Amino acid sequence: MTARMDRKFADVASEGRPVLVTYFMGGDPDFETSLSIMKALPKAGADVIELGMPFSDPMADGPAIQLAGQRSLKGGQTLAKTLEIARRFREEDQRTPIVLMGYYNPIYIYGVDRFLTAALDAGIDGLIVVDLPPEMDDELCIPALQKGISFIRLATPTTDDRRLPKVLENTSGFVYYVSMNGITGSALPDPSLIAGAVERIKTHTKLPVCVGFGVKTAEHARAIGASADGVVVGTAIVNQIASSLTEEGKATDATVPGVEALVRGLSAGVRSARLAAAE
Amino acid sequence: MNEAPKLNSFRAGPDEDGRFGIFGGRFVAETLMPLILDLQDEWDKAKNDPAFKAELDNLGAHYIGRPSPLYFAERLTAELGGAKIYFKREELNHTGSHKINNCIGQILLAKRMGKTRIIAETGAGQHGVASATVAARFGLPCVVYMGATDVERQAPNVFRMKLLGAEVKPVTAGNGTLKDAMNEALRDWVTNVDNTYYLIGTAAGPHPYPEMVRDFQAVIGQEAKDQMLAAEGRLPDLVVAAVGGGSNAIGIFHSFLDDEDVKIVGVEAGGKGLEGDEHCASITAGSPGVLHGNRTYLLQDGDGQIKEGHSISAGLDYPGIGPEHSWLNDVGRVEYVPIMDHEALEAFQVLTRLEGIIPALEPSHALAEVIKRAPKMGKDEIILMNLSGRGDKDIFTVGKILGMGL
Ligand SMILES: Cc1ncc(COP(=O)(O)O)c(C=O)c1O
């Protein structure tokens, strides 16, 4: 539902702070723990949730998210189960937008129409599908938009002014600016460079611009949030989960509280971000 | 020269979006989109540039050793007692396989684009060796991603790459085979977009790679056609090649696609049999899906997760296939069949003993199919097979299986 996303961005903007977008991998390390993590995120201060759909060949992801996907698949996760996590979350929370993030093949195999119907039913608001550039919009983007599900596109440092209009054309919800050329989990570049890029994108669109890839600490969140409409944190959360597991990769009592504590800190970071901008 | 293109041609693809029917396309991360569009521009210019063609031909003749011979396998033909068997001897090329044809073409493009660093993925190591070779020849640093399992079973090629100055990076993700190496090469490419050229080793990946690699390999079929006409005064009745990603196969097939009387067969790795998961027969036992930039037949489960294939031959150990093959299968122009590990192993030994040619395990699959079909064909019929590589790299694998102490 596009409306829930737009409302959330408007509400948070009226608080005078950037949006905190949190990513985790659905089914990591198991279905129930993953559902508990998802329920804990908004309570700890997350505004938007990116729910990762595991894929055997995550070409744009670094080691941390690759391993999370492997743990999830090993635990028996499937696309249907990831949708089920969202549906169970929605029973309790009707306000937090959910964006599914992953790769195209599991969706293609599930069947695009069947997937979109199931996603709407599960309360999904948006999709990020890494390997579907605008050239492939007929596959999923256009059908999703027709059903009222946002299609959120990544813009990267290689997306120059010539290409940006094409990338933005069918984008809705928000624009996800990838802070560097590379895979998830790399180091964060200089925030001032990112601010320049956000400004550049904003001359082409009225959509909110969220920045991700490399944001790991409250301090990062604060620095990036000074210029961006939102901050996306993924690998740091996935690493937090990984560090709480037993050697066999099973959840422990520390798994959910660890994520809560991390997200609470990140949330404090975005809540002081505009102060950072004013400094 | 300005003939209108034949409407019913099997050689017209891909369309401008890189599609062969529903197959192909450009399924890549946004970071890579500008790069593959640049590559396409450069390729469109280069393929119509006489200077580019001249340089390619010159290196083909003096560096690779083209044209490769067309060889009549007299003793094998007599032994099987049916169709006349000819080999297109790509195994005599510099570096020992057809892979060099593509590498020379792509490194010339990389130079034109001002790229200063080459990356490649490799399975058997033949493409890695060919990439390291052209990188040495043109003075560019080269990083080769290779699955850790393959690093082990193709040790001689790892050593060759290192001697040639390339850095070989073992990939431990997944099963540590070709698909994992390709994932890692793509990760390198999104990280080093400014200076790096990704030299893909087969006719797969996002557009324009499948078309471009095919065009660099099509020289195999063009030469073979002329050579066959010179030798026999007619075209072959059957053309056979092994299919991993599909580059040697499309290379020899392409010139014959519109010759209706020529039957064409692609041979996939049947591994230990199609019943379980231990094979790499993407077309015979897979279904269409999206991986590594293109839609094509893949080995996958019901949730769209890609499976790890198995083949005795590291070069066929890929759970996908080039998109043009998927299309040629669906339109019925080419027939794809599996050959099991043990059949390939048997064929390997037959050729070694009867013709004094040690073939690579990949074309040994094609040969096993030829051995099945030739006796059922008439003595006046002709088979053309692509002998895509030599077996030096495989003698340790084969020796181990046959229990010879090496
Ligand atoms: C000799 C030889 N033939 C065939 C192949 C399979 O690749 P393709 O299907 O692209 O020709 C390989 C791959 O390593 C090879 O080394």
Side-chain angles (χ1 to χ4, degrees):
Chain A
M1 252 177 35
T2 320
R4 181 159 36 217
M5 186 98 74
D6 294 347
R7 197 178 329 118
K8 177 61 86 176
F9 273 91
D11 286 354
V12 173
S14 72
E15 289 176 29
R17 65 172 179 90
V19 168
L20 176 62
V21 183
T22 52
Y23 169 96
F24 74 110
M25 177 64 79
D28 173 28
D30 61 72
F31 182 94
E32 288 301 333
T33 307
S34 195
L35 178 59
S36 303
I37 290 170
M38 188 164 183
K39 287 178 178 172
L41 289 171
K43 291 172 191 146
D47 301 300
V48 175
I49 296 176
E50 281 180 16
L51 172 57
M53 303 177 279
F55 182 47
S56 52
D57 293 79
M59 289 152 298
D61 286 302
I65 295 183
Q66 289 175 41
L67 289 172
Q70 284 175 20
R71 285 193 298 269
S72 163
L73 290 172
K74 208 170 138 218
Q77 190 71 5
T78 59
L79 181 52
K81 286 187 183 171
T82 304
L83 289 167
E84 180 61 15
I85 291 179
R87 206 185 55 73
R88 297 265 295 273
F89 172 87
R90 256 300 160 256
E91 288 170 357
E92 290 182 13
D93 182 326
Q94 286 83 45
R95 305 178 71 90
T96 307
I98 308 173
V99 176
L100 284 175
M101 180 162 182
Y103 296 80
Y104 184 44
N105 197 52
I107 297 173
Y108 177 68
I109 295 307
Y110 195 89
V112 166
D113 280 345
R114 181 174 163 236
F115 166 75
L116 289 173
T117 305
L120 263 187
D121 183 55
I124 300 300
D125 304 283
L127 304 174
I128 300 177
V129 183
V130 181
D131 51 355
L132 286 179
E135 280 72 6
M136 298 282 118
D137 270 356
D138 291 344
E139 296 281 336
L140 180 64
C141 172
I142 305 287
L145 294 179
Q146 282 166 354
K147 283 229 152 91
I149 296 181
S150 294
F151 201 84
I152 292 134
R153 193 98 61 197
L154 307 187
T156 71
T158 60
T159 317
D160 57 16
D161 282 326
R162 198 165 40 114
R163 184 159 171 84
L164 207 42
K166 181 154 186 112
V167 168
L168 296 172
E169 191 177 58
N170 292 320
T171 302
S172 63
F174 60 91
V175 180
Y176 186 150
Y177 180 66
V178 174
S179 68
M180 92 254 330
N181 295 323
I183 52 181
T184 52
S186 315
L188 185 72
D190 180 353
S192 67
L193 287 178
I194 294 174
V198 170
E199 284 316 308
R200 180 167 71 85
I201 294 170
K202 282 182 161 294
T203 62
H204 290 268
T205 181
K206 290 199 170 60
L207 289 171
V209 179
C210 298
V211 175
F213 279 43
V215 185
K216 293 199 179 68
T217 63
E219 195 40 53
H220 289 155
R222 181 172 141 102
I224 300 301
S227 61
D229 301 304
V231 179
V232 188
V233 183
T235 296
I237 294 174
V238 167
N239 277 335
Q240 172 61 45
I241 295 170
S243 72
S244 76
L245 305 177
T246 65
E247 255 173 52
E248 296 79 42
K250 297 268 184 295
T252 63
D253 289 348
T255 304
V256 179
V259 174
E260 270 171 342
L262 174 70
V263 173
R264 234 179 277 120
L266 293 165
S267 169
V270 295
R271 279 174 170 78
S272 62
R274 292 297 148 80
L275 299 175
E279 272 164 18
Chain B
M1 276 310 293
N2 266 334
E3 256 178 76
K6 251 209 264 174
L7 279 180
N8 290 321
S9 175
F10 288 107
R11 306 176 63 206
D15 69 14
E16 60 182 28
D17 296 321
R19 297 201 187 247
F20 302 90
I22 67 160
F23 301 105
R26 283 181 285 225
F27 296 87
V28 297
E30 174 57 28
T31 315
L32 294 180
M33 254 334 279
L35 280 80
I36 64 173
L37 292 175
D38 278 354
L39 177 59
Q40 192 181 334
D41 276 354
E42 197 63 41
W43 167 234
D44 284 345
K45 276 183 233 151
K47 69 181 165 193
N48 296 311
D49 178 355
F52 183 79
K53 170 122 188 25
E55 200 172 0
L56 201 56
D57 288 349
N58 185 48
L59 285 162
H62 303 288
Y63 192 69
I64 300 178
R66 304 214 68 87
S68 66
L70 180 74
Y71 170 72
F72 172 49
E74 199 177 338
R75 291 194 69 218
L76 181 66
T77 299
E79 172 79 15
L80 297 174
K84 291 178 86 169
I85 298 162
Y86 280 86
F87 294 135
K88 179 62 173 164
R89 297 198 57 188
E90 291 296 300
E91 105 280 10
L92 293 177
N93 293 341
H94 180 40
T95 73
S97 82
H98 68 293
K99 296 282 179 188
I100 190 87
N101 302 327
N102 168 48
C103 288
I104 284 286
Q106 286 201 54
I107 201 141
L108 289 178
L109 267 183
K111 282 294 241 192
R112 277 174 77 107
M113 297 177 79
K115 301 292 182 184
T116 55
R117 176 175 177 266
I118 301 295
I119 58 171
E121 85 294 334
T122 197
Q126 288 305 94
H127 174 60
V129 167
S131 299
T133 298
V134 298
R137 166 67 182 74
F138 286 88
L140 295 177
C142 177
V143 174
V144 180
Y145 290 93
M146 188 169 188
T149 309
D150 290 339
V151 167
E152 222 165 278
R153 61 177 167 170
Q154 303 287 330
N157 273 343
V158 174
F159 189 50
R160 278 187 194 102
M161 287 184 263
K162 288 185 178 165
L163 285 173
L164 288 160
E167 185 188 347
V168 179
K169 291 202 179 170
V171 178
T172 49
N175 260 14
T177 57
L178 186 51
K179 104 175 154 75
D180 310 300
M182 198 150 180
N183 290 334
E184 211 53 36
L186 285 164
R187 290 183 188 118
D188 180 313
W189 204 23
V190 288
T191 310
N192 299 291
V193 294
D194 293 331
N195 65 348
T196 298
Y197 183 93
Y198 181 16
L199 209 173
I200 295 186
T202 191
H207 181 61
Y209 283 100
E211 173 200 302
M212 186 171 73
V213 175
R214 174 199 73 198
D215 288 354
F216 288 136
Q217 293 292 4
V219 65
I220 302 172
Q222 288 152 11
E223 287 174 6
K225 199 169 193 176
D226 291 346
Q227 290 165 322
M228 188 63 82
L229 287 171
E232 292 280 349
R234 69 179 189 87
L235 297 181
D237 300 282
L238 174 65
V239 178
V240 183
V243 190
S247 68
N248 88 84
I250 201 69
I252 198 162
F253 293 169
H254 199 248
S255 285
F256 296 99
L257 289 176
D258 286 338
D259 298 308
E260 282 168 31
D261 296 334
V262 179
K263 186 168 171 49
I264 305 180
V265 173
V267 182
E268 299 193 296
K272 296 181 181 166
L274 302 191
E275 307 75 36
D277 282 343
E278 290 193 272
H279 62 79
C280 261
S282 318
I283 287 189
T284 335
S287 58
V290 174
L291 179 71
H292 293 153
N294 59 144
R295 177 164 23 229
T296 194
Y297 277 88
L298 300 173
L299 301 180
Q300 54 187 331
D301 68 16
D303 191 43
Q305 308 297 339
I306 311 305
K307 292 188 193 170
E308 302 277 351
H310 159 85
S311 169
I312 188 176
S313 130
L316 303 182
D317 209 345
Y318 179 67
I321 184 171
E324 191 164 9
H325 288 289
S326 293
W327 177 74
L328 288 168
N329 175 72
D330 280 14
V331 298
R333 176 61 185 99
V334 177
E335 182 190 354
Y336 294 84
V337 298
I339 280 290
M340 309 305 138
D341 283 352
H342 69 89
E343 295 172 309
L345 198 60
E346 180 67 32
F348 174 98
Q349 297 171 79
V350 167
L351 192 66
T352 304
R353 298 280 173 79
L354 279 180
E355 296 285 350
I357 297 173
I358 301 180
L361 283 170
E362 293 82 11
S364 295
H365 285 70
L367 185 64
E369 185 64 20
V370 167
I371 290 173
K372 281 186 185 173
R373 290 186 187 234
K376 297 181 204 147
M377 293 168 66
K379 285 190 180 352
D380 55 343
E381 292 188 281
I382 301 170
I383 299 176
L384 167 65
M385 189 198 103
N386 196 1
L387 189 41
S388 57
R390 67 176 84 125
D392 306 32
K393 69 182 173 65
D394 295 314
I395 55 173
F396 302 100
T397 305
V398 173
K400 211 162 147 189
I401 297 171
L402 298 182
M404 297 176 173
L406 286 171

